Structures are given as structure tokens and as C-alpha cells.
């Protein structure tokens, strides 16, 4: 596979780099960013935290605004931030911000015109980790985290394939997408009208039937404009309580949905994952 390095910046003794590569899963070129801490070498491969971003974001938002590199360098953890959807002139899109390019929702679309390219679940869970492992000095220990739509993706993927991840965390995640406007719109477009298919990508539904547990951390700002209508974290918290699932849920007065919130607590998340990696 051809992989092209498009930018490199030294940070905290390590390197932040962007790459483009052709994706066979998505049938288009994709971009991702990786932060390699100074410890990373062929003789000392490091664990990886996959970061999934939210609606309208690319790989750049978190890497530039999240403030994660200093602690990642201290802990010796690589961070991989993929894009949030396939992109390109010939790829299906929508005029709204919450569907189409920038809004892949980390599912495998089954409906036209989305199914040809929008296979983000397989890309994140299979193709990209294989590429990262074969290209960079990383080991077989992975964790996953994300924000908003990406928080949905991170928790959902950890629940569906717990054998792949040592831990999972999220900021302001969409935890019950089958029961919120963002999720209902995206799932009906990408997956069709059968809500049984939707449940396979809904974290609350998945946790209720989970048989394997992995540690999870969720942070939620109480000044988040999307909290009541879109995020509904109490649905996941209730399911976790019923299942005695190892979920740590924290609420924070005054914090909103922005990267100011993420950057305030990202070091906590990195330390949390380091314990399990």
C-alpha cells in the first residue's frame, strides 16, 4: 500500500505527522494523523490510542486543539486520529453538517448512495489499525477514545469488539443514537428503516447485552447545549449500573461541548488509558 507523508512537526520530543493513503475499504484516498512519542522505535514499539472526532471535524481538530501531545510523550503512547468520513468530489454528500462528508458516524452504510464509500466501521476497526501496525513502531496494545460523534464511535466499537481494545473513553458522546435527532437522521440514511440494524451501532443497546467488560471513562460538561436532546448520557449510565459494568462517568459544571472542555481533561484520559495499556 502506498502511504504519503504530507506534513511533519516535532512536538515534545516526538513527531506529529499527517499521511494520505488509498483505502480499499472506503474506495477513496484517506488522511490520518499520528503522534509518535519520543520513546517509539523499532526496538521499543509503543501502544496506540485511536482518537475519533466529532461532526464536521477532520484529523486536524483534535491534534491541534486537544493538547494531548505533552502527556502522550510523557507516557509513551502513540495517538492516531483518522478523518471522520470518506471525502472527495465523487463521494456522496449532503448540504447539512450532520450527514455525509464529515459525518460518517463510524458505521458501515448499507443504503444507496452511501454504501459505496461509507464503511467507516470497517476502516477504523480493521484497515487503519493494520496499516498503522505495518508502518509504524507500535505494538499490539490499543485503546480508543473520542468526542461527540467520535465518542459514539469509540464506545460503540469497544463494546462490539472488546477483544481489540484495552480501554475506552469519551467526551460528550452520543450514547443512544437510535433515540436522538442526530442518530435518527444518520442511521435512517446510512442503514435504512429497520431499527434492528440501528441497535448494532447503539452503545446503550450494546452495553445492555454485553458479555465482556473493558474499563470505560466518560466526561460530560453540564453546560453542553447538546446534552439533553442529543447526548443523553444517563441512558448509558443506567445500563452500566444494571450490568455492573466498569464505567466511570464524570460531570463537570460550566463546561460545554468544545475543545476547551477536551483540553481541560485530556490528560486524565491519557493517564486512564496508560493504566490499561
Amino acid at each position: 500500500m502506498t502511504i504519503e507523508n504530507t506534513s511533519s512537526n516535532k512536538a515534545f520530543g516526538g513527531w506529529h505527522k499527517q499521511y494520505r493513503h488509498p483505502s480499499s475499504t472506503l474506495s477513496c484516498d484517506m488522511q490520518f494523523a499520528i503522534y509518535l512519542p519520543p520513546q517509539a522505535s523499532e526496538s521499543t514499539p509503543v501502544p496506540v490510542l485511536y482518537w475519533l472526532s466529532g461532526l464536521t471535524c477532520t484529523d486536524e481538530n483534535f491534534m491541534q486543539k486537544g493538547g494531548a501531545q505533552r502527556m502522550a510523550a510523557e507516557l509513551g503512547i502513540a495517538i492516531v486520529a483518522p478523518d471522520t468520513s470518506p471525502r472527495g468530489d465523487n463521494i456522496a454528500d449532503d448540504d447539512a453538517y450532520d450527514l455525509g462528508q464529515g459525518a460518517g458516524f463510524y458505521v458501515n452504510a448499507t443504503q444507496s448512495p452511501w454504501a459505496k464509500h461509507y464503511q467507516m466501521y470497517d476502516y477504523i476497526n480493521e484497515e487503519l489499525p493494520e496499516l498503522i501496525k505495518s508502518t509504524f513502531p507500535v505494538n499490539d496494545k490499543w485503546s480508543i477514545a473520542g468526542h461527540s460523534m467520535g465518542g459514539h464511535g469509540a464506545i460503540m466499537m469497544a463494546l462490539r469488539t472488546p477483544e481489540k481494545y484495552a480501554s475506552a473513553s469519551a467526551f460528550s458522546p452520543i450514547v443512544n443514537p437510535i433515540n436522538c435527532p442526530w442518530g435518527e437522521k444518520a442511521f435512517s440514511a446510512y442503514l435504512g428503516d429497520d431499527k434492528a440494524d440501528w441497535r448494532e451501532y447503539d452503545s446503550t443497546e450494546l452495553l445492555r447485552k454485553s458479555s465482556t467488560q473493558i474499563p470505560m471513562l466518560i466526561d460530560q460538561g453540564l453546560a453542553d447545549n447538546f446534552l439533553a436532546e442529543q447526548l443523553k448520557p444517563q441512558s448509558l449510565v443506567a445500563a452500566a449500573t444494571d450490568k455492573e459494568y466498569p464505567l466511570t462517568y464524570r460531570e463537570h459544571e460550566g463546561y460545554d461541548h468544545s475543545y476547551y472542555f477536551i483540553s481541560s481533561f485530556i490528560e486524565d484520559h491519557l493517564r486512564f488509558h496508560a493504566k490499561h495499556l
Side-chain angles (χ1 to χ4, degrees), residues 93-101 114 185:
D93 199 8
D94 189 88
D95 290 337
Y97 76 94
D98 53 358
L99 186 67
Q101 295 186 36
W114 312 103
K185 178 179 180 178

Side-chain angles (χ1 to χ4, degrees), residues 67-275:
Q69 289 90 343
R70 186 190 70 81
M71 184 55 64
E74 180 178 318
L75 297 171
I77 297 173
I79 301 174
V80 173
D83 204 346
T84 54
S85 77
R87 296 182 192 266
D89 292 339
N90 299 316
I91 291 172
D93 199 8
D94 189 88
D95 290 337
Y97 76 94
D98 53 358
L99 186 67
Q101 295 186 36
F105 269 84
Y106 305 104
V107 304
N108 286 341
T110 58
Q111 305 299 301
S112 178
W114 312 103
K116 181 178 180 181
H117 297 288
Y118 286 73
Q119 303 294 309
M120 287 297 291
Y121 179 85
D122 283 351
Y123 175 71
I124 299 296
N125 220 32
E126 296 178 13
E127 183 180 12
L128 184 60
E130 290 173 5
L131 174 62
I132 297 300
K133 183 69 167 63
S134 66
T135 307
F136 302 101
V138 300
N139 61 35
D140 293 324
K141 294 181 179 178
W142 306 338
S143 289
I144 193 165
H147 171 233
S148 194
M149 177 186 73
H152 141 74
I155 300 300
M156 175 268 292
M157 289 190 185
L159 289 167
R160 283 182 58 142
T161 54
E163 71 280 1
K164 286 181 177 282
Y165 302 105
S167 52
S169 74
F171 290 85
S172 314
I174 306 168
V175 298
N176 195 199
I178 67 172
N179 288 316
C180 78
W182 277 338
E184 290 168 359
K185 178 179 180 178
F187 284 13
S188 61
Y190 296 143
L191 304 173
D193 295 330
D194 188 346
K195 292 195 174 183
D197 296 330
W198 298 16
R199 293 187 184 97
E200 294 304 309
Y201 295 101
D202 184 288
S203 293
T204 299
E205 296 292 322
L206 291 167
L207 193 146
R208 285 179 179 142
K209 64 181 184 180
S210 64
S211 58
T212 303
Q213 298 183 339
I214 70 170
M216 288 186 181
L217 169 64
I218 292 177
D219 278 325
Q220 177 62 59
L222 293 180
D224 191 321
N225 290 336
F226 304 113
L227 177 56
E229 183 180 27
Q230 304 283 11
L231 307 180
K232 302 183 178 181
Q234 296 306 326
S235 60
L236 186 70
V237 172
T241 300
D242 290 343
K243 293 278 291 188
E244 298 184 347
Y245 200 95
L247 167 65
T248 299
Y249 172 72
R250 310 189 304 185
E251 295 181 330
H252 304 272
E253 291 284 352
Y255 286 92
D256 58 18
H257 201 70
S258 71
Y259 277 86
Y260 296 109
F261 176 41
I262 296 171
S263 63
S264 296
F265 297 99
I266 189 61
E267 293 191 357
D268 287 357
H269 284 239
L270 288 165
R271 291 189 189 97
F272 167 76
H273 291 297
K275 286 190 232 177

